[in-house]
Amino acid sequence: QVQLVESGGASVEAGGSLRLSCVVSGHPFTVGAMDWFRQIQGKERELVGAINELGNVNYASSVRGRFSISRDNAKNTIYLQMNSLKPEDTAIYYCNARIKADVNSRYELLWGRGTQVNVYA
């Protein structure tokens, strides 16, 4: 069974940095584009950034210039490097991925359970 697991969330002082990881486990046949989302308390879940299979990336304006996404296809893992963190970045961070479980399967969108990031002033 394919599963996404985020890790790396913590409490950090404003101005600090964190690196989140998202591992796609369970031997997927193909892992396509992946995304980082976050949900700030009281708000809707929002896109942080996306990365496709070739490593092309896109970021929300709120994090552009501070966050960066990378992927290691051999490990089926993506990373979210977060620098210059602000209290407004406090949220649960989720990853998702488009997965083919088998050679003849359709792509499915899977979500991780999230990891909590707290940024304090």
Side-chain angles (χ1 to χ4, degrees):
Q1 61 281 10
V2 178
Q3 189 173 0
L4 275 64
V5 180
E6 304 95 337
S7 62
S11 293
V12 62
E13 188 175 4
S17 298
L18 284 173
R19 190 177 78 158
L20 307 183
S21 300
C22 175
V23 178
V24 182
S25 64
H27 310 290
F29 182 76
T30 302
V31 179
M34 299 182 68
D35 306 320
W36 283 102
F37 280 73
R38 69 184 182 187
Q39 187 160 20
I40 298 169
Q41 188 173 3
K43 298 183 178 181
E44 295 182 352
R45 189 174 299 186
E46 64 184 23
L47 178 69
V48 174
I51 184 166
N52 70 8
E53 295 164 280
L54 300 179
N56 299 318
V57 296
N58 186 56
Y59 302 100
S61 61
S62 58
V63 306
R64 191 177 298 116
R66 299 187 297 121
F67 292 8
S68 63
I69 298 172
S70 60
R71 70 187 294 162
D72 185 338
N73 290 334
K75 296 181 178 180
N76 287 330
T77 301
I78 64 167
Y79 306 93
L80 179 64
Q81 179 66 48
M82 304 185 294
N83 300 321
S84 301
L85 283 162
K86 305 174 181 179
E88 63 200 68
D89 295 318
T90 295
I92 302 173
Y93 284 74
Y94 301 88
C95 68
N96 66 28
R98 291 134 190 90
I99 303 294
K100 270 190 174 183
D102 191 85
V103 63
N104 295 316
S105 299
R106 295 159 50 186
Y107 275 101
E108 297 180 272
L109 180 64
L110 300 181
W111 289 85
R113 294 175 60 88
T115 185
Q116 179 72 51
V117 173
N118 294 309
V119 184
Y120 58 91

